[in-house]
Amino acid sequence: MAIQVGDKAPDFELKDNHGATVKLSDFRGDKNVVLLFYPFAFTGVCTGELCSLRDNLPQFTDRDTQLLAVSNDSIHALRVFAEQEGLEYPLLSDFWPHGNTSRDYGVFDEDKGCALRGTFIIDKEGVVRWTVVNGLPDARDLGEYVKALDTL
């Protein structure tokens, strides 16, 4: 079951597409976080979602918010994907141990071996304030993220 509104967001430590370590707790007290899980780099719906976020990044940065996108791809695949699509926010690899962070958030599909489309908006104190989990083929609505951030 996915993490619910009001839950303390599980901390994690993952490598980004440049090999740097990113911890959720590093943003506590400083920034809200939009934590976005997606199935796979280089796929149609995922690419569309991540490029839409790229094109609307100021809607997040202007709201003291860090965008973190997590998939179960390797950091090497994520580096190429980010370069190819011009993605300038961190793409985090939940590759090994495979899917541990996705499981902690309740969005890992054991049969397919990838994350579902789960989004968690986490406030500066580390509490989940909004969430949505969609099936693999169903894109999320970026406008809903912005509305939720405006309530913080």
Side-chain angles (χ1 to χ4, degrees):
M1 176 176 224
I3 296 293
Q4 301 296 308
V5 170
D7 290 347
K8 189 80 163 171
D11 199 12
F12 57 79
E13 185 174 309
L14 297 172
K15 298 282 185 189
D16 72 7
N17 47 306
H18 300 290
T21 300
V22 175
K23 293 193 270 186
L24 179 63
S25 56
D26 288 344
F27 300 100
R28 248 180 232 135
D30 185 41
K31 291 188 178 204
N32 301 308
V33 173
V34 172
L35 181 63
L36 172 107
F37 290 87
Y38 63 100
F40 295 110
F42 302 104
T43 57
V45 176
C46 296
T47 300
E49 284 188 316
L50 296 177
C51 287
S52 178
L53 292 167
R54 172 201 66 205
D55 296 343
N56 293 282
L57 199 55
Q59 292 190 47
F60 299 96
T61 56
D62 291 351
R63 288 171 171 81
D64 266 348
T65 300
Q66 176 65 53
L67 179 61
L68 299 174
V70 180
S71 77
N72 306 117
D73 297 296
S74 73
I75 62 170
H76 310 292
L78 294 177
R79 182 176 304 128
V80 172
F81 181 54
E83 288 171 2
Q84 178 179 305
E85 299 300 335
L87 305 175
E88 295 182 7
Y89 51 86
L91 302 183
L92 305 181
S93 175
D94 191 18
F95 182 72
W96 197 258
H98 192 72
N100 270 7
T101 300
S102 304
R103 279 186 193 89
D104 287 347
Y105 279 81
V107 295
F108 189 74
D109 184 323
E110 296 290 343
D111 293 332
K112 298 215 179 350
C114 66
L116 299 171
R117 293 183 195 287
T119 304
F120 302 87
I121 294 182
I122 303 162
D123 69 15
K124 293 177 182 178
E125 284 71 49
V127 176
V128 175
R129 295 296 177 193
W130 185 87
T131 184
V132 65
V133 178
N134 287 2
L136 293 178
D138 302 321
R140 292 160 283 197
D141 182 353
L142 168 70
E144 295 298 316
Y145 302 172
V146 175
K147 285 182 201 170
L149 285 168
D150 284 342
T151 68
L152 296 182

